[in-house]
């Protein structure tokens, strides 16, 4: 008789992708292959030059170590009552997760999203992030693309990244920054109110020093921000760098 793991093993032989979905007995699952985590040397070099929280390099792990880390973190989140997909099966080369709906970016990145819809999803996302932090945990890749939405609930996925000798407080602040940064890619007809997000996060976590932290960071890089506002430099910058500066320019006004 075919079981889920046998079906997944057969699908793995045919698939080139590191992560893909499959149907089994009319239910959807996700198969994720073993893949190590690391930060490039260029990334580490940038972090030396600009020691900002968003640039903290991740711990180097083998594929096997990454599976062990991600699945046990998913299970810990479940125990704490934080919405995450259930781990259906794991071995050294892959693991299987239950489906937790659609990537929340597919809603947030719609050009015709209304303000009402936007703040409905943002509220759920901030609440989920705060819930993780209130349980003395961090996400590690808290960009919007690493959350899903299903039937009124938000789920945290992609918990593979770990860090060496970095305080939890800093990793949580890094989560918030990654989350804010990911929102700069939204294509709505209106701007997202970053101040509202930070205020709501503070209200839920009581991390009142967050604003000070953001301000310190903005001061440290205000020199870079000023440079980025010079037209010809702005034109030279890529899209990612531009959205980074766009975020910090709005944070400057906090
Ligand atoms: N359990 C799940 N339920 C629903 N969708 C999922 C699930 N697991 C993964 N996905 C989908 O697959 C995508 C990739 O998964 P995941 O983020 O775990 O992989 P990744 O390769 O580490 O991603 P990244 O590009 O962020 O490094 C997700 O963005 C999501 O759209
Ligand atoms: Mg991901």
């Amino acid at each position: 008789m075919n079981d889920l793991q046998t079906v997944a093993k057969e699908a793995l032989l045919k698939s080139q992708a590191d992560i893909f979905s499959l149907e089994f007995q009319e239910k959807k699952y996700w198969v994720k292959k073993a893949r190590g985590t690391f930060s490039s040397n260029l990334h580490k070099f940038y972090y030396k030059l600009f020691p900002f929280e968003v640039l903290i390099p991740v711990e180097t792990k083998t594929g096997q170590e990454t599976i062990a880390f991600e699945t046990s973190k998913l299970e810990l989140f479940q125990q704490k009552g934080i919405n995450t997909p259930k781990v259906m099966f794991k071995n050294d080369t892959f693991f299987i997760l239950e489906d937790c709906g659609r990537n929340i970016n597919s809603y947030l990145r719609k050009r015709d999203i209304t303000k009402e819809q936007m703040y409905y999803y943002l509220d759920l996302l901030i609440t989920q992030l705060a819930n993780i932090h209130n349980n003395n945990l961090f996400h590690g890749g808290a960009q919007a693309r690493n959350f899903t939405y299903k039937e009124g609930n938000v789920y945290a996925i992609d918990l593979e990244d770990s860090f060496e000798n970095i305080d939890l407080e800093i990793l949580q602040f890094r989560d918030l920054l990654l989350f804010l940064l990911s929102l700069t890619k939204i294509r709505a007809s209106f701007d997202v109110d970053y101040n509202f997000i930070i205020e709501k996060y503070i209200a839920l976590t009581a991390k009142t020093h967050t604003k000070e932290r953001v301000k310190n960071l903005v001061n440290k890089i205000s020199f870079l921000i000023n440079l980025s506002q010079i037209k010809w430099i702005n034109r030279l910058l890529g899209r990612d760098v531009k959205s980074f500066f766009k975020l910090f320019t709005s944070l400057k006004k906090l």
Side-chain angles (χ1 to χ4, degrees), residues 143-162:
Q143 299 91 327
R145 70 166 191 271
N146 290 327
F147 292 92
T148 66
Y149 175 84
K150 187 183 179 181
E151 295 160 7
N153 292 307
V154 164
Y155 295 77
I157 58 166
D158 200 1
L159 307 177
E160 65 189 17
D161 283 335
S162 54

Side-chain angles (χ1 to χ4, degrees), residues 128-140:
Q128 171 76 332
L129 188 65
N131 192 11
I132 294 170
H133 292 180
N134 287 340
N135 277 288
N136 295 320
L137 296 163
F138 68 95
H139 184 302

Side-chain angles (χ1 to χ4, degrees), residues 52-111:
F52 307 137
E53 288 86 350
V54 271
L55 294 178
I56 296 171
V58 305
E59 186 177 17
T60 304
K61 301 195 289 302
T62 63
Q64 204 174 323
E65 285 164 345
T66 306
I67 287 190
F69 181 85
E70 185 165 3
T71 55
S72 53
K73 191 159 168 180
L74 284 165
E75 279 155 4
L76 176 65
F77 273 38
Q78 292 253 309
Q79 283 164 25
K80 303 268 186 186
I82 302 163
N83 290 336
T84 45
K86 206 193 258 164
V87 181
M88 307 301 295
F89 173 82
K90 65 177 166 193
N91 65 20
D92 285 348
T93 52
F94 73 96
F95 61 97
I96 308 173
L97 298 176
E98 71 174 355
D99 178 63
C100 289
R102 275 173 68 182
N103 190 307
I104 205 152
N105 256 346
S106 60
Y107 302 100
L108 294 180
R109 294 242 180 122
K110 283 197 177 129
R111 284 181 200 276

Side-chain angles (χ1 to χ4, degrees), residues 100-110 113 118 121-126 128-129 139-149 153-158 174-187 192 194 197:
C100 289
R102 275 173 68 182
N103 190 307
I104 205 152
N105 256 346
S106 60
Y107 302 100
L108 294 180
R109 294 242 180 122
K110 283 197 177 129
I113 188 170
M118 175 72 80
Y121 295 116
L122 288 180
D123 262 332
L124 290 172
L125 278 166
I126 304 160
Q128 171 76 332
L129 188 65
H139 184 302
Q143 299 91 327
R145 70 166 191 271
N146 290 327
F147 292 92
T148 66
Y149 175 84
N153 292 307
V154 164
Y155 295 77
I157 58 166
D158 200 1
R174 179 183 178 275
D175 273 355
L176 179 68
L177 290 175
L178 282 183
F179 175 61
L180 292 170
L181 258 179
S182 72
L183 299 181
T184 59
K185 299 207 177 124
I186 277 167
R187 293 178 283 214
V192 172
Y194 299 111
I197 296 175

